[in-house]
Structure formats: structure tokens, C-alpha cells
Amino acid sequence: MDTTIRHDWTKEEIEKIYHLPLMELIYKAATVHREWHDPSEVQISTLLSIKTGGCPEDCSYCGQAARYHTNIKVQALLPTETVIAYAQKAKDSGSSRFCMAAAWREVRNNRDFDRVIDMVKGVNELGLEVCCTLGMLTEEQAVRLQEAGLYAYNHNLDTSEQYYEEIISTRTFDNRINTINNVRKAGITVCSGGIIGLGETHRDRISMILTLATMPKHPESVPINALARVEGTPLENNEKVDTWEMVRMIATARIVMPASMVRLSAGRIEMSETEQAWCFMAGANSIFTGERETLLVTPNPGVSEDMQMLETLGLKPMMKKETCC
């Protein structure tokens, strides 16, 4: 087994991998996947929106932005007991990781953050890997979350640095990098990936992977999302992402970040079981399920449907391990 993890990838090297003939790319990625992971295991991660809508950001893809007219209902921060009950249900259904998402631009040091700290403690006590995605975070706030038992923090790059301002104007690409750095300093594992289908080029996708693959430490988790087209957002009329584009992104991420969990994330509702199987073949070893058959605010396959798919494919849910991410 090659145990080398590289952080010195060049754009040209990643470009060459990305543009390999598809079947050769999948074969290479599947080989790397088997060297670093148990190919029969898929981590089930449950994502719950603990505070929905009303966000002041202008992310072009997001139905939770207050400035867009969507059908998404604003929901205040859920009671702690409700969140813990959802986490227990997720664990009982086979999840080993529970992620809580709040539609905030940034974390503020107030009573709501104190309540999130209590949620983290409660989910951690259930024996689940606990993850949060709450927007921008200071180093001090990251330390508080770590001390409460937070295992991972999700903060996606979304797209390349070059294309970023075409999608979001209310924060910068550097803001995202700073939050990831604050998470690292606090000793929390990083979950960071991006979205394809935003109107970006292949070079933008390669550039985003390059940013992740040349970090001093690769994100332990790399979600690959297909744009979920939300009515009322600027990107509602974008074309559906082709499955082979998802496969190509997953395979490239798997090859250049071999130890990371590569997550098949948003967009699965529009993918058949066969199409998802190709993504697992290409190196994806985690999926997000969502409570109430949603992923935050967009449709997603239900837990029972996902479990049936895994059984059909001869895959099994990954149990929590101290070494996994």
C-alpha cells in the first residue's frame, strides 16, 4: 500500500488526472480507494437544519438567503431536546455522524451559540461524531466547540477562488479559508468541498480541488455536491449536473486526497441507484441523509431508501471509529 499523502500537487497534475478517459479514471480511483479504505463500507451522515432561512448572505444557489423569494419557511433555532431526539433517531437508523446546520452568516457570541454548545455536548454523549456548519467562525469560538465535543466542522469552499465572486459577494474566498484555519487550530477535523453546476468551468473545478489538496492537512471529509436548483434563486434555471461529471469530480478527489472521506452529497435525489453506484465505484464512501427526507431544505432520498440501496449494492454502514472522519 502506498501510504504517501501529497500536499504539493500542481494544477497541471490534477488537470491530467481529471481529464483521463473516464473508465481509466474510475479504475485508478477505485484502486486508490481500496488501498486506503474498506470498499464495502459507506458512512451514513445525517444532516439536520437546526435554524432555517433568513440568512443575510447572497449565495446564488441557496434558498435560505433572505433576499430571494423561495418557498422555504424561516425556522428559528430548534429546541435542544428536539435536536437530541433527532440525533438519537439518526443513530438508531444507522448513522455514525450527525451534522447540525444553522443558516447564519457567522457565529455570534450569544444565547443561540450557547444553545448550540449544549446541542454539541448532548449529541456527543450519544456516541455520534458530531459536526456543525454555522458559517464563519473565530478561533475562540472554534475552541469552545472543540471543548464541547465537536468532532468536525463543515465549511465548503463552494467553487474556485477565481469564480467565487460570481456566486457570492457578501463574503470572500479568504473568509472561508480563515474559518477553516481557525477550525484546524482548535483541533477539530475539517469537512470542506464544493458544488458543481454553478456555471463554473472544468478549470474552476480543478482549481477548487487543488486548493483542498495543497492544504497543509487535507480535509478529513470532502463533500462533492451537485447543484440543487431552488426556485427563486439566481441559479434556478441552470442545467442538471450530468452524473459523469459527479463521477469525474469524486474520482479526482479520491486520487489526490486518498485518506479523506469523499462524500456524495447534494443532488442524489436526481440520481438513480445505478448512477450512485458509479459514484461509490469512483471512491465515494459517505452519503448525507437528511431528517424528513430533506438535505437542509432540498429533497433527498429517505433513510430506508438509502439502506435498501446499500443492501442491493452489497455495501454496509460504517460504524463509528476513532480513526475515521
Side-chain angles (χ1 to χ4, degrees):
M1 171 176 166
D2 182 0
T3 57
T4 306
I5 295 180
R6 290 182 52 192
H7 302 270
D8 61 348
W9 292 97
T10 66
K11 192 166 189 176
E12 292 70 29
E13 286 176 313
I14 296 177
E15 203 163 15
K16 187 175 179 181
I17 293 167
Y18 181 90
H19 287 298
L20 282 170
L22 190 61
M23 298 310 290
E24 184 179 349
L25 175 61
I26 293 170
Y27 175 75
K28 284 182 181 293
T31 302
V32 171
H33 185 54
R34 280 156 176 72
E35 288 175 347
W36 287 85
H37 304 273
D38 181 344
S40 69
E41 289 187 338
V42 174
Q43 187 182 42
I44 309 298
S45 304
T46 297
L47 181 61
L48 176 69
S49 181
I50 59 172
K51 184 271 178 186
T52 306
C55 182
E57 300 271 39
D58 68 351
C59 306
S60 300
Y61 53 81
C62 186
Q64 300 197 67
R67 67 191 68 202
Y68 304 137
H69 300 291
T70 68
N71 295 321
I72 293 163
K73 295 179 181 177
V74 175
Q75 167 199 284
L77 190 65
L78 291 174
T80 303
E81 303 76 28
T82 301
V83 173
I84 302 304
Y86 273 125
Q88 182 63 61
K89 182 182 175 185
K91 181 180 179 181
D92 294 343
S93 298
S95 290
S96 58
R97 184 172 186 148
F98 189 78
C99 188
M100 298 175 283
W104 292 330
R105 167 179 162 75
E106 61 202 343
V107 173
R108 299 186 184 278
N109 294 313
N110 56 20
R111 282 182 293 181
D112 280 352
F113 186 42
D114 292 340
R115 287 170 60 192
V116 171
I117 293 292
D118 288 339
M119 293 175 193
V120 170
K121 290 177 180 176
V123 175
N124 189 47
E125 287 171 3
L126 295 178
L128 289 162
E129 290 178 6
V130 55
C131 173
C132 282
T133 178
L134 312 168
M136 292 186 286
L137 200 66
T138 67
E139 190 176 346
E140 293 74 22
Q141 290 163 342
V143 168
R144 280 194 68 192
L145 287 165
Q146 190 275 334
E147 289 174 345
L150 190 72
Y151 183 83
Y153 195 81
N154 167 261
H155 204 62
N156 289 331
L157 298 182
D158 285 349
T159 189
S160 70
E161 184 174 7
Q162 296 77 15
Y163 192 63
Y164 188 84
E165 62 184 22
E166 299 294 323
I167 300 300
I168 303 160
S169 70
T170 47
R171 73 168 95 167
T172 67
F173 192 81
D174 283 345
N175 290 148
R176 296 208 177 249
I177 298 296
N178 289 340
T179 290
I180 291 170
N181 290 340
N182 290 337
V183 168
R184 275 277 177 239
K185 289 174 192 171
I188 299 168
T189 66
V190 171
C191 175
S192 186
I195 308 168
I196 66 172
L198 303 175
E200 77 286 347
T201 65
H202 290 292
R203 290 186 68 82
D204 287 315
R205 296 174 187 178
I206 291 160
S207 179
M208 183 189 74
I209 289 179
L210 177 67
T211 299
L212 297 169
T214 53
M215 288 179 172
K217 189 173 183 181
H218 293 162
E220 285 80 0
S221 170
V222 180
I224 304 295
N225 298 275
L227 173 67
R229 297 158 294 168
V230 178
E231 187 177 350
T233 63
L235 302 184
E236 66 173 310
N237 294 318
N238 279 28
E239 290 185 10
K240 175 184 178 293
V241 172
D242 184 81
T243 299
W244 299 120
E245 299 290 297
M246 283 290 283
V247 169
R248 194 170 286 281
M249 279 292 286
I250 286 166
T252 305
R254 167 55 64 220
I255 291 168
V256 301
M257 292 175 281
S260 300
M261 302 293 289
V262 178
R263 300 186 184 277
L264 174 57
S265 300
R268 288 198 302 118
I269 193 68
E270 295 190 87
M271 297 173 73
S272 68
E273 197 171 89
T274 303
E275 289 171 323
Q276 292 180 69
W278 276 106
C279 293
F280 296 130
M281 178 65 75
N285 59 344
S286 179
I287 55 174
F288 277 116
T289 65
E291 284 297 341
R292 297 168 286 196
E293 298 193 352
T294 60
L295 198 62
L296 294 184
V297 293
T298 56
N300 195 68
V303 176
S304 59
E305 191 178 336
D306 283 336
M307 290 301 180
Q308 181 59 55
M309 174 181 67
L310 294 186
E311 185 176 338
T312 299
L313 299 177
L315 300 172
K316 61 188 177 186
M318 180 185 293
M319 296 296 102
K320 182 187 174 186
K321 304 168 187 171
E322 291 307 314
T323 54
C324 82
C325 26

